């Protein structure tokens, strides 16, 4: 028998008895980052595939969620920093070995890109803006030519905005390629951020990158199911979601196979989820409610059972994705090397 | 030039003098520590084997903490000493997560703090605070690159181990067993 105790000198509340440096901010950000990455991926993919005309909702309207998700995620990240006023230092350097540096620069690229993407479709989504509020009308006057009557046309007061808008619409396809690639980097990065830590056995597995990317794409597909207006579009994303859920289940099984075939500490890690304290939250809430039940419901819908509202499986997928990140971040900090 | 430390676990009595000396010397805030004492008991009564270790940052050769730092606040200084520049640290805690030894902590002032091998004392030609106060002289500090230094000779002639070698960090804190 072996007993190991820190007997004096250390009573650091965030390190002992186990590490707890990352709280709710990081999993929330990982979820929102993955969600935004997925939404932007689908939008970019649709533009590359068919100019976005076939599935307008996921190309033009759901991307509006992405900038908000990214900004809320960034605020959460800022709140996580113990010295948020110094966060500009992330952008004075690029550290090729640091996943967090990659993430900071990727967000710097993706966030403005998503805003420009959404802005370039506003004219199409809202052909006529009208408002009863005087204050908004006054603000409109700053931007648009005719803003005094009830209906405002998108005639910019300033030429450079018009030119920029035309430029963005012209280069939409190259922009879609850039967004496709950067959204994949963002989605994978949400997993790599954790898997880069040798010291935390639960996180230190290369499968986390693809797993988080798949989960992010799956939650994004669920959002598209909720917002889809036509049956055709909803069915398409149901199909995509089914494939993604199956891949995710496959990756989760592989993750645990890898742990159980690993060294002692990896086996102990797996046991937290196979009989340990995270068994019920993980297998019932994340895998059961968040993956298996949506998989069954979505498959039933494709088979022709339309009694279940489409929002039910989609909401379960989204909640499952959020819980998955919370559990992974929390559990990862509990298990550590033994010596 | 490569600084390293050796701890003779046979001589250590676990008195915590090194801990207090470090906290005093480096103004470590209350409730935090850069070094600490670990007691390991092996076996079943009455056949027990006790090992006492004074632990701190291992000043690794392969440093996960420096690699994950997004701003370059964590860096490898002269003699392989791992240090943090407080005015570059944003407090993201990535280095704390990356350390298998949990040797770093978040200073209440919003930056990560850790053992510096008392490099301000080394510059004056003094020993580190922990080494200088150890009543049983179980701590040895020196240049592990120089084969004629006290620590190199000690390590050459005694059975020793490092902590969590499987983490691949190549720690430079050696425990004589």
């Amino acid at each position: 028998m072996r007993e190991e105790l820190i007997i004096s000198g250390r009573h650091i509340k965030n390190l002992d008895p186990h590490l707890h440096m990352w709280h709710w901010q990081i999993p929330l950000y990982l979820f929102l980052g993955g969600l935004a990455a997925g939404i932007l991926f689908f939008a970019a993919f649709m533009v590359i595939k068919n100019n976005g005309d076939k599935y307008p909702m996921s190309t033009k309207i759901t991307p509006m969620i992405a900038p908000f998700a990214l900004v809320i995620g960034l605020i959460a990240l800022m709140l996580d920093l113990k010295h948020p006023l110094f966060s500009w230092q992330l952008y004075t350097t690029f550290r090729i070995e640091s996943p967090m540096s990659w993430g900071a620069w990727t967000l710097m690229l993706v966030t403005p890109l998503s805003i420009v993407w959404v802005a370039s479709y506003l004219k199409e989504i809202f052909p006529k803006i009208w408002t009863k509020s005087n204050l908004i009308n006054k603000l409109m006057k700053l931007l648009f030519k005719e803003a005094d009557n009830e209906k405002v046309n998108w005639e910019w007061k300033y030429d450079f905005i018009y030119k920029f808008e035309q430029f963005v619409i012209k280069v939409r396809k190259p922009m879609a390629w850039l967004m496709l690639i950067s959204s994949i980097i963002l989605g994978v990065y949400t997993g790599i951020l954790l898997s880069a830590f040798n010291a935390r056995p639960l996180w230190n597995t290369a499968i986390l990158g693809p797993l988080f990317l798949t989960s992010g794409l799956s939650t994004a597909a669920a959002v598209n199911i909720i917002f889809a207006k036509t049956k055709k579009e909803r069915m398409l994303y149901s199909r995509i979601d089914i494939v993604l859920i199956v891949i995710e289940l496959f990756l989760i099984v592989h993750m645990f196979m890898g742990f159980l075939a690993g060294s002692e500490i990896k086996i102990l890690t797996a046991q937290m989820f196979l009989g340990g304290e995270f068994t019920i939250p993980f297998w019932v809430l994340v895998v059961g409610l968040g993956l298996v039940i949506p998989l069954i419901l979505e498959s039933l819908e494709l088979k022709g059972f339309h009694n279940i509202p489409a929002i039910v499986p989609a909401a379960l997928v989204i909640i499952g994705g959020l819980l998955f990140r919370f559990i992974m971040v929390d559990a990862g900090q509990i298990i550590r090397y033994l010596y | 030039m490569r600084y390293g430390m050796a701890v003779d676990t046979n001589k250590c009595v676990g008195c915590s003098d090194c801990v207090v000396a470090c906290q005093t010397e480096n103004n470590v805030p209350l409730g935090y520590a850069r070094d600490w004492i670990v007691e390991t008991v092996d076996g079943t009564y009455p056949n027990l084997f006790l090992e006492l270790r004074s632990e701190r940052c291992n000043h690794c050769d392969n440093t996960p903490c420096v690699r994950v730092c997004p701003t370059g606040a964590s860096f490898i200084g002269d003699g392989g000493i791992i240090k943090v520049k407080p005015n570059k640290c944003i407090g993201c805690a990535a280095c704390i997560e990356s350390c298998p030894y949990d040797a770093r902590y978040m200073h209440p002032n919003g930056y990560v703090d850790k053992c510096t091998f008392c490099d301000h004392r080394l510059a004056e030609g003094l020993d580190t605070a922990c080494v200088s106060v150890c009543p049983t002289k179980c701590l040895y500090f020196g240049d592990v690159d120089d084969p004629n230094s006290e620590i190199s000779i000690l390590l050459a002639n005694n059975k020793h181990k490092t902590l969590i070698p499987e983490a691949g960090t190549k720690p430079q804190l050696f425990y004589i067993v």
Side-chain angles (χ1 to χ4, degrees), chain B residues 3 25 117-129 141:
Chain B
Y3 287 122
E25 174 69 30
F117 266 167
C118 281
D119 60 345
H120 60 290
R121 284 174 63 93
L122 301 181
E124 295 169 25
L126 297 166
D127 262 336
T128 70
F141 181 80

Side-chain angles (χ1 to χ4, degrees), chain A residues 204-327:
Chain A
N204 188 22
T205 159
I207 220 157
L208 228 55
L211 180 55
F212 273 50
L213 173 68
T214 317
S215 172
L217 289 173
S218 165
T219 49
V223 168
N224 281 327
I225 292 172
I226 292 176
F227 282 93
K229 272 222 177 86
T230 60
K231 196 184 162 199
K232 191 174 126 201
E233 191 164 5
R234 196 175 68 236
M235 286 308 196
L236 172 79
Y237 281 102
S238 272
R239 267 194 208 102
I240 292 176
D241 207 25
I242 287 171
V243 174
L244 289 169
I245 289 173
V246 170
I247 295 174
E248 207 179 326
L249 285 168
F250 171 81
L251 289 174
I252 286 173
V253 170
H254 267 238
M255 184 171 77
F256 283 104
M257 278 173 70
F259 284 144
L260 289 171
S263 56
E264 190 195 358
I265 187 65
K266 294 274 188 188
I267 295 168
L268 287 175
T269 305
Q271 278 166 0
M272 286 202 303
F273 293 87
L274 305 169
E277 52 185 308
F278 288 100
T279 314
I280 288 172
F282 187 77
W283 294 102
V284 174
L285 296 179
V286 175
V287 175
L289 281 174
L291 295 173
V292 175
I293 290 179
L295 179 66
I296 295 168
L297 292 180
E298 282 172 4
S299 308
L300 280 177
E301 202 190 355
L302 285 187
K303 287 273 171 212
F305 291 87
H306 297 300
N307 299 336
I308 315 129
I311 196 171
V312 173
L316 285 174
V317 165
I318 293 168
I319 296 167
L322 183 63
L323 278 173
F324 174 55
R325 273 129 182 120
F326 269 90
I327 289 173

Side-chain angles (χ1 to χ4, degrees), chain A residues 1-5 7-11 15 19 22 82-83 86 89 97-98 197-200 333 336 339, chain B residues 16 31 33 36-37 39-43 53 55 67-68 87 90-92 94 96-97 99 102 104 167:
Chain A
M1 208 196 112
R2 164 167 256 232
E3 193 185 48
E4 192 128 356
L5 283 174
I7 56 165
S8 81
R10 232 176 59 172
H11 302 285
L15 304 187
L19 191 76
W22 284 351
K82 296 297 177 297
H83 212 152
F86 273 10
Q89 305 232 28
E97 284 184 312
S98 164
F197 297 122
N198 178 350
R200 313 290 149 201
Q333 296 184 94
R336 54 160 294 177
Y339 54 92
Chain B
S16 306
W36 57 94
I37 310 287
E39 182 188 86
T40 306
V41 178
D42 281 297
R53 294 193 301 261
E55 293 188 1
R67 259 182 284 134
V68 299
N87 59 354
I90 57 174
C92 70
I96 298 179
E97 300 278 356
C99 178
D102 284 350
R104 291 166 166 250

Side-chain angles (χ1 to χ4, degrees), chain B residues 120-141:
Chain B
H120 60 290
R121 284 174 63 93
L122 301 181
E124 295 169 25
L126 297 166
D127 262 336
T128 70
C130 48
V131 171
S132 65
V133 296
C134 181
T136 61
K137 302 271 176 264
C138 76
L139 297 174
Y140 301 87
F141 181 80

Side-chain angles (χ1 to χ4, degrees), chain A residues 98-160:
Chain A
S98 164
M100 211 176 262
S101 188
W102 274 88
W105 282 105
T106 309
L107 284 169
M108 197 56 146
L109 175 70
V110 172
T111 312
L113 206 58
S114 71
I115 292 171
V116 169
W117 182 276
V118 170
S120 76
Y121 279 116
L122 282 180
K123 206 179 199 170
E124 266 181 64
I125 304 165
F126 309 105
K128 295 244 156 70
I129 337 160
W130 64 273
T131 165
K132 281 178 183 165
S133 151
N134 262 333
L135 180 74
I136 296 178
N137 276 341
K138 267 182 194 163
L139 288 173
M140 294 275 196
K141 260 185 200 165
L142 295 176
L143 282 173
F144 299 107
K145 272 180 182 161
E146 11 172 351
D148 29 4
N149 30 2
E150 272 198 347
K151 280 177 185 170
V152 183
N153 291 317
W154 287 82
E155 280 176 43
W156 297 101
K157 214 171 187 176
Y158 303 101
D159 204 32
F160 73 93

Side-chain angles (χ1 to χ4, degrees), chain A residues 77-88, chain B residues 89-91 110:
Chain A
L77 274 192
M78 289 276 286
L79 290 175
D80 171 68
L81 298 179
K82 296 297 177 297
H83 212 152
L85 292 178
F86 273 10
S87 54
W88 55 268
Chain B
C89 180
I90 57 174

